[in-house]
Amino acid sequence: MAPTYKTVVLAKRPKDNIVPGETFRLVTNNPTPSAADLKDGEVLFETNYLSIDPAMRGWLNDTRSYIPPVKIGEVMRGGCIGTVEASKNPQFPVGSFATATAGWTEYKICRGNELQRVVVPRGGKLTDGLSVLGMTGLTAYFGIIDVGKVKAGDFVVVSGAAGATGSVVGQIAKLKGATVLGIAGSEDKCRWLKEELGFDDALNYKDRDFFKKFRAATKDLIDVYFDNVGGEILDMALSRAKKHARFVMCGGISQYNSSKPQGPKNYLMIVSMRIRMEGFIVFDYAKEYPRALRELAQWLSEGKIKRKETIVKGGLDQAENALRDLYQGVNTGKLLVEVKPIDDK
Ligand code: NDP
């Protein structure tokens, strides 16, 4: 019998939360593509790790956004790191590693221009290509440097601070001479931010005294607020903004599972404090990725940026649960699903 391979397809658009066993469907496909199926310039990509991203929830909605929605019946979109299993493209020899938006699949035939080679810097590892040297590291870099225009002496507040993006935002802000307060969802995460990543302070937003502690911690008022979560925390940050504060609008994970996302209630602070609130999408900076990746790789090699991964094992079958659990804060640092281990770990 010909070998089979698995994919996960979108079965039904969720109204609010992802519904296990309903939103996605695991499909067994036959036969697995092989070297004989390749045309010139193509490679057979075998997925090792899937990147699990908050934005995925938005791709399930049939609405106008920065990227078209995933279609019903289509393989779920997603970034992956994988191995070149067979190749008719000299730039991607057999056995080399690459990242690609291959989606939730064990195998895919990709054209060379759909792949990026993974170069591991000293002190790095392959999966950094999906985090600090991939989309979340780039988002942190352009968000805090180009949009937030962080500078020495700034007081920076980062929400979602123990996640893949937020943890790098805070460390870059420290490298630029800012004072950094992180906000995250557990005491352990806050300890990691302060004791290992060098944040000046960190607060657990699930603490019952969080609002009081936030007011005390922001008594000098905020120069730059990097928003990953929206909702009540954004409102609180608005109420503590300094005149001419910069608000970097990166994401709003607290609203992603809601069919009626709530905007800020304190929005008049934007007027009274002359706040510049600016959204951005990392793809806007695509031409500048090489420069940013060089600097991020150098910081990683020098130990100036640290990172963590949370890896969910169990293959593609676990992708749906991992995505659902992302919105419960299951991860510290980057959330990945292991489809087939790479032995550099
Ligand atoms: P993370 O690694 O930060 O994971 C998401 C984290 O969000 C969870 O670990 C959880 O941690 C926190 N969270 C979940 N629900 C809530 C909630 N209701 N309130 C507060 N925090 C919550 O993911 P990423 O680093 O990949 O993404 C971070 C943000 O950046 C997202 O908003 C994402 O959409 C955005 N993004 C934007 C891009 C752009 O181009 N603009 C590109 C990439 C990402 P906790 O335990 O702290 O709750």
Side-chain angles (χ1 to χ4, degrees):
M1 210 169 68
T4 60
Y5 72 106
K6 290 182 202 160
T7 53
V8 175
V9 302
L10 176 62
K12 189 175 175 197
R13 298 194 188 284
K15 187 165 173 291
D16 299 301
N17 294 312
I18 288 162
V19 184
E22 182 180 297
T23 305
F24 297 104
R25 191 173 58 245
L26 187 69
V27 179
T28 302
N29 306 274
N30 192 357
T32 301
S34 71
D37 300 313
L38 299 180
K39 299 192 192 82
D40 282 346
E42 290 181 338
V43 308
L44 176 58
F45 178 88
E46 181 179 23
T47 305
N48 295 111
Y49 292 87
L50 303 178
S51 169
I52 302 294
D53 300 288
M56 287 173 159
R57 178 63 191 81
W59 303 342
L60 308 182
N61 297 336
D62 193 6
T63 52
R64 194 171 72 90
S65 188
Y66 65 97
I67 196 168
V70 178
K71 294 187 189 127
I72 300 289
E74 199 172 49
V75 172
M76 177 58 189
R77 181 187 297 141
C80 312
I81 191 159
T83 313
V84 175
E85 279 296 297
S87 179
K88 279 199 176 173
N89 186 323
Q91 288 178 2
F92 297 96
V94 172
S96 62
F97 295 99
T99 54
T101 309
W104 291 7
T105 178
E106 290 177 328
Y107 289 94
K108 188 173 182 212
I109 292 178
C110 297
R111 291 186 309 277
N113 63 5
E114 294 175 287
L115 301 170
Q116 297 82 42
R117 286 188 70 143
V118 176
V119 182
V120 182
R122 191 168 46 83
K125 54 186 170 177
L126 282 162
T127 46
D128 290 330
L130 289 179
S131 60
V132 63
L133 303 179
M135 209 49 77
T136 55
L138 290 165
T139 301
Y141 184 96
F142 292 110
I144 192 67
I145 295 177
D146 289 66
V147 184
K149 303 199 183 334
V150 68
K151 59 181 188 322
D154 278 342
F155 177 40
V156 175
V157 176
V158 190
S159 59
T165 305
S167 58
V168 176
V169 168
Q171 293 181 84
I172 295 176
K174 286 297 303 170
L175 286 169
K176 299 288 175 188
T179 300
V180 179
L181 166 66
I183 300 170
S186 75
E187 296 301 324
D188 279 351
K189 289 184 183 188
C190 290
R191 234 186 329 274
W192 179 61
L193 294 174
K194 286 189 286 187
E195 293 175 8
E196 289 187 44
L197 303 194
F199 280 47
D200 298 281
D201 200 359
L203 294 176
N204 174 5
Y205 70 89
K206 293 180 183 164
D207 181 329
R208 40 200 280 247
D209 291 328
F210 171 64
F211 288 88
K212 217 162 84 192
K213 288 181 179 169
F214 184 83
R215 281 191 74 75
T218 55
K219 64 179 180 351
D220 295 331
L221 304 179
I222 302 169
D223 293 291
V224 180
Y225 174 62
F226 193 103
D227 193 23
N228 285 315
V229 308
E232 280 189 336
I233 299 174
L234 169 59
D235 263 322
M236 288 176 48
L238 281 167
S239 74
R240 305 301 279 166
K242 208 178 266 182
K243 198 166 146 190
H244 296 298
R246 289 93 77 197
F247 273 49
V248 183
M249 305 309 288
C250 177
I253 193 168
S254 73
Q255 305 300 309
Y256 289 174
N257 285 302
S258 166
S259 48
K260 292 197 178 104
Q262 299 297 305
K265 295 189 191 76
N266 269 341
Y267 77 96
L268 288 176
M269 290 296 286
I270 300 169
V271 181
S272 56
M273 289 300 129
R274 295 78 149 173
I275 296 168
R276 183 172 60 83
M277 192 181 244
E278 185 175 345
F280 78 104
I281 295 291
V282 64
F283 308 147
D284 303 343
Y285 295 90
K287 286 202 180 110
E288 295 172 63
Y289 287 175
R291 161 176 72 88
L293 288 172
R294 269 196 304 276
E295 197 161 18
L296 286 164
Q298 181 161 347
W299 285 331
L300 187 66
S301 298
E302 293 169 353
K304 291 180 176 164
I305 285 192
K306 300 186 179 121
R307 66 344 192 179
K308 218 176 214 175
E309 294 169 339
T310 301
I311 298 184
V312 175
K313 303 205 179 213
L316 273 188
D317 315 40
Q318 291 307 315
E320 171 181 57
N321 292 336
L323 180 57
R324 185 199 54 202
D325 295 347
L326 178 70
Y327 304 103
Q328 304 302 320
V330 70
N331 59 310
T332 301
K334 178 70 201 166
L335 183 60
L336 300 171
V337 168
E338 185 177 88
V339 178
K340 186 173 182 204
I342 304 178
D343 55 16
D344 81 321
K345 311 218 118 280

